[in-house]
Amino acid sequence: MRYWAAAKSAAGAAEEPYAAATLAEALDAARRLHSERPEFARVLLRCSFLVDGDPVGTRDHTTVQLAEGGTVEVLPPFAGG
C-alpha cells in the first residue's frame, strides 16, 4: 500500500506491504496495524483508492480483488489544482 499526503502523515509511513485478497481486507489490516493512530482511520474514510492503477470509485471494497504483488494507492482529497 502506498500512502499519499494526509494518509502518509497519519500512517507515519509512505508505504507498507499487505497480505489480503480484497481491498476491504487490506484496509482492515491497515487500520489494525495503525490502531494507535486514530487519525489514520479517520483519513481513510475520506480517501479514494487505485488498485494497480485502476480507480476503485464507489465499488464495494469487499468486491475489489487484489493481486499478489499488486499496488494499492491511498489518496486523500487534494486541495488546489
Side-chain angles (χ1 to χ4, degrees), residues 29-76:
R31 283 185 197 95
R32 284 191 305 275
L33 180 65
H34 299 289
S35 63
E36 76 288 353
R37 296 172 157 269
E39 181 61 19
F40 179 75
R42 286 190 290 271
V43 168
L44 283 184
L45 294 173
R46 299 185 312 266
C47 288
S48 58
F49 305 94
L50 298 177
V51 173
D52 297 329
D54 295 323
V56 171
T58 59
R59 288 184 285 162
D60 183 336
H61 295 169
T62 62
T63 67
V64 178
Q65 298 295 310
L66 301 180
E68 186 174 330
T71 302
V72 175
E73 306 276 351
V74 181
L75 307 166

